[in-house]
Amino acid sequence: MKKVLLINPWIEDVAAYDFWLKPLGLLYISSILKEAGIETYLIDLLYRHDPELEAFLGKQVKDRYYGTGNFYSVEIEKPPVMKSIPRKFKRYGLPEELFRRKLRRHIDVDAIFVTSMMTYWYYGVSDTIRVIREELPDRPIVLGGVYTSILPKHAALHSGADLVAPGTGITPLVSALEFLGMKANLNENFLEELEPDYSHYERLSYVVLITSTGCPFRCDYCFSWKLWPAFKRCTPERIVNIIEKVYSERHIEDIVFFDDAILIGSEFKELLKILAGKNLPLRFHLPNGLHARFIDEETAYLMKKVNFKTIRLGYETSNAELQKKTGGKVTNLDLERAVSYLKNAGFSGKEVSAYIIANLPGQRVEDVEQAINKCDELGIIPVINEFTPIPGTPQWQRLVNEGSLPEDIDPLMLDNSLLPYWWNGGISEPALRMLKEKAWRVRKMIENAEDLSRIWK
Ligand code: SF4
């Protein structure tokens, strides 16, 4: 039987936090390969509860908010391109010696598949591949994931992988197996028929699921709709089935949905109705910027009944013109209406928050301030999400055409934590810091408020 080692690489950045990060694509690949008769192993360098990491640290790794938490990290040398930026550069994930020890147990694998996420995390990807190469020099390494889909040529040049396999669904797997000369029947309908393979994790605090792939919106700063050109859904029955299984077999109580557009269509409401009838002692989380427009009274009521604990609404900006220009997915009225339904359903201000993008081209400091004020007024937590120009998006192309961004820039410099230090096209670093502090004060006020009725004024 053929054997494939799957690896979730390190993150190298100035900041990173395990906000329910799991390599979902890799976990589906594991299931697809297993079904096709290929044995799989996983080294998840971002696995905070890895028993070997806990033994290395001599203590149990603590969770914070419903299974989220800090990664183990070490400071590493800054890449020359960011030498002048006054931030520490760190590697997040398992210590290198632990990684090397794990790799040495897999000398007999036929291939190694590495995934990738953000383009500006590519230093972590190439460092991961460098270590794999040193430990298992004659094993073929295939790199897939979001970074390779956005910047395939860059990945081919800088990652050190033998093959870069961009794309979503089974596309990268088809090219990987062809490259390796392996034959296998791959299940194209994996979203409906398979499930992410969590069997690789000994201890889990939460499970991340998706009920759909893609998004029917076309926001000009987003790559999701390019990554998944068609919006596809899984049946609610299938999702319930997976949830019941992880609860009964693994006793997981926190279920996190990471869809880009979970509220589109009637399936999510159907899922809620089935879950409401099951009465499972679970908590649910929606951290991925919900479309406020599609929250109606019944959805809000069902989400409360089923025990949703984290609801993040995608607000982006309070500037109506900019809302329309960037894709029209939300208006101020959509947000107000959604919050009022959630409030009436019984959600507290601590459970509902809104993503505000800061530093969008054309956005003023006042726009972000107004958006924070709007959250304050509605009694929900404002979460500042700094803008990252993503290569290949219409927004990116415009910035390049205008001469605001160099086309051949090192992707690391597009990291939203670094951008304000050098980019003249956006909000300055001190102004951004001021906005984040303002958002933080509103958050603290809401979190500390004892009299919730004062918040829901
Ligand atoms: S709605 Fe969200 S996921 Fe969909 S295109 Fe816009 S930003 Fe991307």
Side-chain angles (χ1 to χ4, degrees):
M1 191 186 257
K2 296 283 186 195
K3 295 175 182 173
V4 170
L5 173 61
L6 307 168
I7 296 186
N8 190 27
W10 282 311
I11 292 173
E12 291 180 1
D13 199 339
V14 295
Y17 183 77
D18 178 13
F19 192 57
W20 297 309
L21 283 185
K22 279 283 172 280
L24 210 51
L26 217 48
L27 301 183
Y28 268 112
I29 283 177
S30 177
S31 294
I32 296 169
L33 291 178
K34 277 183 176 175
E35 192 191 45
I38 296 171
E39 211 169 310
T40 62
Y41 307 90
L42 173 74
I43 299 178
D44 182 351
L45 292 176
L46 302 181
Y47 179 27
R48 288 173 38 246
H49 294 296
D50 188 314
E52 289 178 69
L53 173 64
E54 294 189 333
F56 173 89
L57 297 172
K59 60 177 182 189
Q60 208 179 6
V61 172
K62 292 258 183 310
D63 285 336
R64 290 168 83 177
Y65 179 82
Y66 299 122
T68 67
N70 289 317
F71 290 116
Y72 172 80
S73 65
V74 285
E75 189 177 342
I76 55 172
E77 202 184 326
K78 281 185 200 180
V81 68
M82 62 162 286
K83 275 279 188 281
S84 63
I85 292 179
R87 298 289 300 263
K88 288 179 178 165
F89 196 59
K90 290 184 178 177
R91 176 182 296 155
Y92 296 86
L94 298 194
E96 185 169 331
E97 59 182 278
L98 240 176
F99 180 31
R100 288 183 184 274
R101 210 188 301 157
K102 282 176 183 285
L103 283 170
R104 283 178 215 135
R105 288 180 210 136
H106 294 286
I107 46 170
D108 62 339
V109 293
D110 295 284
I112 298 153
F113 292 179
V114 182
T115 190
S116 61
M117 284 193 274
M118 309 300 189
T119 51
Y120 50 78
W121 285 347
Y122 83 91
Y123 281 91
V125 171
S126 41
D127 266 343
T128 302
I129 292 177
R130 174 183 53 77
V131 173
I132 301 170
R133 190 69 81 200
E134 284 167 14
E135 293 298 332
L136 308 174
D138 57 350
R139 302 291 92 186
I141 302 172
V142 177
L143 175 65
V146 177
Y147 159 53
T148 65
S149 300
I150 298 178
L151 293 173
K153 285 188 192 149
H154 186 279
L157 209 61
H158 296 273
S159 68
D162 296 301
L163 176 76
V164 165
T168 48
I170 61 163
T171 308
L173 264 187
V174 171
S175 45
L177 296 191
E178 198 181 295
F179 172 77
L180 297 165
M182 289 186 196
K183 292 220 180 321
N185 278 331
L186 303 175
N187 190 339
E188 263 186 89
N189 198 18
F190 62 92
L191 191 64
E192 182 63 35
E193 292 175 11
L194 300 177
E195 59 198 73
D197 183 7
Y198 279 102
S199 69
H200 293 290
Y201 296 93
E202 206 175 305
R203 190 182 147 215
L204 277 171
S205 322
Y206 60 85
V207 154
V208 175
L209 299 175
I210 45 167
T211 71
S212 61
T213 51
C215 175
F217 280 82
R218 296 288 179 265
C219 299
D220 70 350
Y221 49 81
C222 178
F223 204 85
S224 171
W225 52 276
K226 292 192 137 202
L227 217 47
W228 298 94
F231 178 58
K232 281 195 187 153
R233 299 219 61 131
C234 178
T235 58
E237 292 74 15
R238 180 72 188 118
I239 297 296
V240 172
N241 190 264
I242 298 173
I243 292 171
E244 285 188 309
K245 192 172 160 201
V246 292
Y247 174 66
S248 64
E249 290 179 4
R250 305 293 305 264
H251 312 292
I252 312 289
E253 292 176 352
D254 285 286
I255 310 289
V256 185
F257 292 111
F258 253 103
D259 298 55
D260 282 328
I262 200 164
L263 294 178
I264 307 290
S266 58
E267 288 85 347
F268 183 60
K269 211 185 262 185
E270 282 170 41
L271 171 68
L272 293 175
K273 284 179 186 164
I274 306 175
L275 286 173
K278 299 269 177 193
N279 235 346
L280 297 167
L282 301 172
R283 294 176 291 263
F284 293 90
H285 309 276
L286 287 167
N288 213 13
L290 284 182
H291 292 92
R293 185 175 305 163
F294 301 109
I295 294 185
D296 59 19
E297 224 166 341
E298 192 183 18
T299 306
Y301 164 79
L302 287 166
M303 285 201 287
K304 183 67 191 166
K305 189 162 177 6
V306 166
N307 202 24
F308 274 75
K309 286 291 177 195
T310 309
I311 297 179
R312 287 227 164 147
L313 304 166
Y315 182 29
E316 321 303 24
T317 179
S318 63
N319 181 323
E321 204 182 312
L322 212 51
Q323 284 169 346
K324 218 185 288 169
K325 213 168 124 194
T326 52
K329 72 169 177 179
V330 68
T331 64
N332 293 329
L333 192 63
D334 291 333
L335 184 80
E336 285 165 19
R337 207 181 290 133
V339 171
S340 106
Y341 290 142
L342 292 166
K343 166 189 166 182
N344 291 339
F347 281 101
S348 77
K350 285 181 191 177
E351 293 164 328
V352 184
S353 52
Y355 275 123
I356 298 168
I357 299 193
N359 220 3
L360 268 175
Q363 192 183 32
R364 298 159 309 167
V365 174
E366 305 88 86
D367 296 328
V368 184
E369 266 188 311
Q370 274 167 21
I372 298 171
N373 291 342
K374 173 60 85 183
C375 292
D376 188 9
E377 181 193 316
L378 295 171
I380 60 171
I381 294 174
V383 179
I384 300 283
N385 200 359
E386 289 161 77
F387 168 68
T388 300
I390 304 175
T393 58
Q395 175 76 273
W396 155 269
Q397 203 48 59
R398 244 192 335 271
L399 292 170
V400 169
N401 294 347
E402 286 164 4
S404 178
L405 282 177
E407 192 161 17
D408 59 350
I409 191 166
D410 186 319
L412 173 65
M413 297 308 280
L414 298 172
D415 184 332
N416 53 10
S417 303
L418 303 185
L419 207 61
Y421 288 95
W422 66 271
W423 189 45
N424 297 329
I427 297 172
S428 69
E429 197 277 323
L432 262 176
R433 203 169 345 118
M434 179 277 288
L435 290 167
K436 281 195 258 183
E437 282 165 9
K438 184 178 168 77
W440 185 251
R441 282 196 299 276
V442 173
R443 176 190 201 114
K444 282 291 138 199
M445 193 276 293
I446 290 169
E447 283 181 347
N448 295 334
E450 284 173 12
D451 179 8
L452 291 179
S453 61
R454 184 168 61 82
I455 295 171
W456 296 115
K457 51 188 178 250

